[in-house]
Amino acid sequence: MADVECKLPAVRHASLESKSSPSAATSPAARALAATALVDPSSDGSATTALDVVNRQRRTRCFAAAEHDDGILRDRRRLTDYYFEEVNAAASATDSQHTLPAHVPVLAQSASGDCVKTVRVLQWNINVLHGADNVDFSQPQQAANVVAHIAEANADVVLLQEAWKLGYSPDASPSGWPDSSSRVQELLDSLRGLGYHLVATEHKDDNNNFNPCVLATRLPILRVGDTFSVDRGCHDFDEAMLASRIPELRAARLVELGLSSPLSSDADADVGADSTSVSSSSSSFCPTLTTVITHLHHNEAPAADSGFGIRRGEVRAILDECDVWSERRKRTTPSGADSCASATLFATDFNGARPRDFLPQDFEAQKHCMDRLKQPADDGVATTLEARGFRCTYDAPGMKVPTLTHWTNTVLDFAYLRQDSTQQQCWSVKGTYVIPTTVSDHLPVVHDLVVTPPSGSSSSSSGSSGSAAPTRH
């Protein structure tokens, strides 16, 4: 598809924001939930403990109320009401810790000759523009509401879930869901107008991907993999999933991005098969970032009688493909290049919370609720990722776990980073931010990642920034 020029007007955001909080309709990225702190450069990079994480998180109103009535956690309408309260309260905050810093795009950093690069990634499940109310669908969103947040964040990379036409057949569509495909298409056209190139996990008959996702990038696209199923043949529950009332499977796609080379004039990558388009560079420090485009499944009920395992199986399938890409990169890396300059980012809606992010009494309430709903309180995804060398950005030294990112008043949206070499650290986490908005039933999360040339390299710079980064073990 050709790029479309598009000038977007300044907009106010979802009506619930403007009605409930006078300050919520101002700058969409000016305030963020208390989910960040600048890192201490002297940090030894030691891993944070579960207790550290819990101690940093503020308790939500929802879980405080659930101590007296745990039925709240199974009542979507009341959960959504608490979600609105939390988001609007955060939008009213004026503390400096809630501020999303301005960002200079990576390619502009490259043009200035700065070898230390900060990559800004925004992830967001936009709920196909249905808004935050999935009970009455009373808050449909316009494309401009989403685009305003993305434009102000000025991210280099945007990972969107539920941002394509859903692949449900008419007789299997979720009950009462309005058709928002024209507004979603307007959003995608607007992103192209902002200079983003799009890559999607398409729905195909052989992958049964009913819930496509989109990568929007201003960075050079070096390699685009095929869309592959993360359910069919990847675990023991795919047939049971297809036999459900809504037979939905998921898929994934890997895309490798460069941080230095400009996009070629014909590099419109809205669609494409597995390809390589690596630009040459005179520098030995040529960092790349492989991004995972996916959305883990929301329903583990088909696996309930077998101890669950759907999302864990999906993650293993993706990590196996990531390993293949990493090995291929090692074989094709030019002699003399810094192998530690490459990393993989797995950022999406994980559809499962981590037990470590709850206060003990809140986790017991959450587990009781999940048991009633035939869903796992601990799906094992976090430990699976960590065993393969990935580390959550929230767990980096100096970072904080958000109070919530989802209408269930829990944290379901994560980013895991792995440096694809055990050599000297290059990648680190500078900040994580959650933007308070009721545009969707998920909150947009921003991650600022720093890549620094290793000491002694021809491209090294003294102005390093960030904490110790995750490495592959």
Side-chain angles (χ1 to χ4, degrees):
M1 303 178 197
D3 284 350
V4 178
E5 292 296 329
C6 178
K7 292 184 179 180
L8 295 169
V11 296
R12 290 182 179 270
H13 310 300
S15 58
L16 275 170
E17 291 179 298
S18 55
K19 289 179 181 178
S20 302
S21 173
S23 63
T26 61
S27 170
R31 293 169 303 277
L33 290 172
T36 185
L38 292 179
V39 297
D40 179 0
S42 64
S43 168
D44 62 3
S46 58
T48 51
T49 66
L51 182 60
D52 291 331
V53 173
V54 169
N55 286 342
R56 290 181 307 189
Q57 179 179 324
R58 183 182 64 77
R59 194 181 196 193
T60 64
R61 297 165 174 82
C62 169
F63 278 93
E67 277 198 82
H68 309 287
D69 178 9
D70 66 2
I72 289 172
L73 301 182
R74 300 187 300 277
D75 186 328
R76 181 153 194 157
R77 191 179 299 277
R78 285 197 286 174
L79 283 169
T80 302
D81 287 344
Y82 277 112
Y83 173 75
F84 289 149
E85 286 185 26
E86 294 287 350
V87 172
N88 287 320
S92 301
T94 58
D95 190 284
S96 61
Q97 285 187 324
H98 299 164
T99 302
L100 180 65
H103 174 67
V104 177
V106 166
L107 297 185
Q109 298 171 39
S110 299
S112 69
D114 188 358
C115 293
V116 179
K117 303 180 189 301
T118 300
V119 184
R120 175 160 288 181
V121 178
L122 183 149
Q123 67 175 94
W124 195 2
N125 181 329
I126 62 166
N127 195 28
V128 287
L129 296 178
H130 288 332
D133 176 12
N134 278 329
V135 178
D136 300 317
F137 299 100
S138 63
Q139 297 293 327
Q141 297 296 309
Q142 299 303 312
N145 295 349
V146 170
V147 174
H149 287 286
I150 294 173
E152 187 156 351
N154 202 23
D156 301 293
V157 179
V158 179
L159 290 158
L160 299 178
Q161 298 83 54
E162 298 186 16
W164 206 260
K165 182 176 175 60
L166 298 184
Y168 299 114
S169 61
D171 59 344
S173 179
S175 176
W177 275 45
D179 183 1
S180 59
S181 56
S182 63
R183 285 179 284 130
V184 171
Q185 185 59 55
E186 181 184 350
L187 165 64
L188 301 177
D189 290 340
S190 296
L191 290 176
R192 295 187 190 99
L194 290 175
Y196 289 101
H197 287 251
L198 308 184
V199 182
T201 55
E202 317 101 315
H203 167 60
K204 297 179 180 179
D205 291 339
D206 62 349
N207 64 38
N208 291 95
N209 179 39
F210 290 89
N211 201 323
C213 308
V214 174
L215 163 73
T217 177
R218 288 170 169 166
L219 298 180
I221 297 171
L222 306 183
R223 187 161 44 133
V224 180
D226 289 329
T227 299
F228 60 95
S229 177
V230 297
D231 288 306
R232 185 174 288 281
C234 299
H235 50 69
D236 297 330
F237 312 109
D238 51 337
E239 294 302 325
M241 294 167 71
L242 289 172
S244 300
R245 185 180 66 85
I246 302 176
E248 178 184 337
L249 302 184
R250 301 290 169 98
R253 197 173 193 179
L254 304 187
V255 179
E256 186 172 13
L257 306 173
L259 275 61
S260 298
S261 306
L263 277 164
S264 62
S265 59
D266 60 348
D268 187 341
D270 276 358
V271 295
D274 188 11
S275 62
T276 302
S277 178
V278 182
S279 302
S280 61
S281 172
S282 59
S283 170
S284 63
F285 184 65
C286 304
T288 67
L289 182 66
T290 296
T291 54
V292 177
I293 315 173
T294 196
H295 180 192
L296 301 188
H297 211 285
H298 66 284
N299 184 19
E300 291 253 8
D305 293 340
S306 302
F308 304 109
I310 291 175
R311 288 192 290 271
R312 192 163 59 246
E314 291 173 340
V315 168
R316 286 172 177 161
I318 293 168
L319 296 184
D320 287 346
E321 187 68 14
C322 288
D323 288 347
V324 170
W325 273 53
S326 179
E327 291 303 317
R328 184 186 304 171
R329 186 190 304 109
K330 290 177 183 177
R331 293 195 302 269
T332 58
T333 298
S335 177
D338 290 318
S339 60
C340 58
S342 298
T344 302
L345 182 70
F346 193 145
T348 190
D349 169 12
F350 279 64
N351 264 315
R354 305 187 305 179
R356 71 188 73 171
D357 296 336
F358 292 87
L359 294 171
Q361 64 269 38
D362 293 346
F363 179 68
E364 287 304 313
Q366 176 76 358
K367 186 178 184 306
H368 180 64
C369 171
M370 292 294 100
D371 289 345
R372 292 279 297 271
L373 297 173
K374 294 187 176 181
Q375 301 296 326
D378 182 0
D379 59 16
V381 165
T383 53
T384 299
L385 281 158
E386 290 163 354
R388 302 282 283 268
F390 283 82
R391 295 294 178 266
C392 182
T393 57
Y394 302 146
D395 298 340
M399 300 299 107
K400 291 184 178 180
V401 178
T403 301
L404 77 167
T405 68
H406 185 240
W407 65 266
T408 55
N409 292 255
T410 61
V411 178
L412 301 187
D413 303 88
F414 299 92
Y416 281 78
L417 180 67
R418 181 179 76 181
Q419 181 173 295
D420 294 338
S421 169
T422 56
Q423 298 180 22
Q424 184 174 344
Q425 287 293 347
C426 289
W427 287 84
S428 60
V429 181
K430 183 179 181 181
T432 62
Y433 311 86
V434 181
I435 301 171
T437 172
T438 54
V439 166
S440 175
D441 59 354
H442 288 251
L443 300 179
V445 184
V446 174
H447 312 271
D448 283 344
L449 311 176
V450 174
V451 58
T452 306
S455 59
S457 79
S458 59
S459 303
S460 62
S461 169
S462 60
S464 65
S465 172
S467 65
T471 56
R472 182 180 177 188
H473 300 297

